[in-house]
Amino acid sequence: MHTVKACLIAAALSAAAGAVSAQQKPEEAIKYRQSALFILGQNFAPLAAMAQGKMPYDKDAAASHAAIVEYMSRLPWDRFGPGTERGGNTKAKPEIWSNLDDFNAKRDKMQSEVGKLAQVAKTGDFNALRTQVGETGKACKACHDDYRNK
Amino acid sequence: MHTVKACLIAAALSAAAGAVSAQQKPEEAIKYRQSALFILGQNFAPLAAMAQGKMPYDKDAAASHAAIVEYMSRLPWDRFGPGTERGGNTKAKPEIWSNLDDFNAKRDKMQSEVGKLAQVAKTGDFNALRTQVGETGKACKACHDDYRNK
C-alpha cells in the first residue's frame, strides 16, 4: 500500500517536472542544470580541500556544504529532457541521450554517494568524511569522463 | 541558554561562510548568487503562472516548486561579500553595499514571504497560495527595483 502510494506520488512529481520542462526553452533548461551543478561543485570544493588538508577541517562548515551538495544533486536531472541536447553553452555530450540507462545509473550512483556524504559530514568523523569525499568525487568523475565535454 | 547557543552556532556558520567567500574569486561568488537566484526564479515562474491562471493548478507541483524556492532563497546572501561589487556580468547595483541594512531588511522580508509560500503551497488552498504568490512577488520586486540593474 505504501509502495503504491509512493509510486503514485513519484509519478505525479515526475509528470509535473515533465510539464515544466516541456514549457521551458532549451537554453533555460541548460542554464538550470548548469546552475545546480555549479552550486553543487562550489560546495563540494571546500569538502575536497578539507579532505586533502588544504583547508582546516570544520565540522559545521563541512555538514553545511554536504547538505547543500545533497540538495543540489536532485535538481539537474529533469532538465536533460528531449530538445536540450544542444543550446546555450552546454558541455553535455550527445552520448547522454543514446546511453540514457547508463547515464541514469551514474546519476543514481552519484546521488547515493552524496547521500552518504551528507550523513557522514554530520557525524564529525573526519576520516570517514575523507573517505566519502573520495567516493563521491569518483562518482562525479565517472559521469563527467563519459558525458561531459572539456 | 538556548539563545546563547543559537547565537554561537549562527556566528560559527557565518564565520565558515565568510571563510569560503574570502577564498572565492569575485566572478565565482557572482555566478553562485546568480545561479541560486536563477533556479529560484525558474521555480517561482510556474507558481506565478498557476496564480494567474496561465497554468493549471497542481498541488504537488506547486508544493515542490515552493520548497525549492524556499531552499534557494537561503543561498545567495553570503556571496554578496566585499569585492563582489563588480565582476562577471553582475547586475547588482553599488547601492547594495552603501545601504546594506536596507538590503538585508529586504532580504529578510523576502525570506519571510517565501517561508509562508512554502507552507501555504503544502496545504492545497489555492486562494491562499495565490495571495502568497502575490506577496512574495512584491518582496522580490522591492529588492530588484532598488538594487538590480535592468
Side-chain angles (χ1 to χ4, degrees), chain B residues 63-86:
Chain B
S64 169
H65 287 305
I68 297 174
V69 166
E70 184 185 27
Y71 193 90
M72 301 315 297
S73 78
R74 301 176 208 153
L75 298 186
W77 313 113
D78 67 0
R79 263 63 177 195
F80 282 91
T84 69
E85 302 89 343
R86 282 174 296 278

Side-chain angles (χ1 to χ4, degrees), chain A residues 117-131:
Chain A
L117 182 72
Q119 289 304 313
V120 162
K122 282 193 274 194
T123 65
D125 180 339
F126 176 67
N127 285 328
L129 178 66
R130 191 166 49 186
T131 301

Side-chain angles (χ1 to χ4, degrees), chain B residues 2 23 30 126 142:
Chain B
H2 279 303
Q23 296 190 341
I30 289 163
F126 176 67

